[in-house]
Amino acid sequence: QGMPFEFLTFVELLAVVASAVYGILLGCRKQFDVVGIFSVSFVIAFGGGTLRDIFLGRRPLFWITNDHYVAIVLVLSVVGAMTPRVLR
């Protein structure tokens, strides 16, 4: 049977969010601006899955199929970039 589709989608989303948060923290630590933080979090959040899809020959890539993932990473990046400035 395998796992339900919804569970796998949830795990994929969780992995994207966790990776994006790591990228945001890394960008904040390096004192990047919002664009730099988004760039780092985007590469970290989607890099592994993109390589997986390329090696397995899957088209379109997972983050193109689920374009709301990019919007989630963008919102998290903006909020993450603004949070340290607000706390100061």
Side-chain angles (χ1 to χ4, degrees):
Q1 282 265 341
M3 291 186 221
F5 178 73
E6 296 82 22
F7 178 74
L8 293 176
T9 303
F10 174 74
V11 170
E12 184 177 73
L13 176 63
L14 192 63
V16 166
V17 169
S19 299
V21 169
Y22 176 75
I24 291 164
L25 293 172
L26 184 63
C28 287
R29 187 177 310 136
K30 298 288 185 177
Q31 298 179 344
F32 290 166
D33 62 354
V34 176
V35 175
I37 290 172
F38 174 70
S39 299
V40 170
S41 64
F42 184 90
V43 169
I44 292 175
F46 299 123
T50 299
L51 287 176
R52 174 200 66 207
D53 288 352
I54 290 171
F55 290 149
L56 293 176
R58 294 183 184 169
R59 299 290 188 271
L61 301 173
F62 82 101
W63 55 271
I64 295 173
T65 303
N66 302 306
D67 57 349
H68 58 280
Y69 288 178
V70 177
I72 291 169
V73 172
L74 176 63
V75 169
L76 287 173
S77 298
V78 170
V79 170
M82 296 304 179
T83 301
R85 290 167 178 78
V86 171
L87 293 178
R88 281 189 218 152

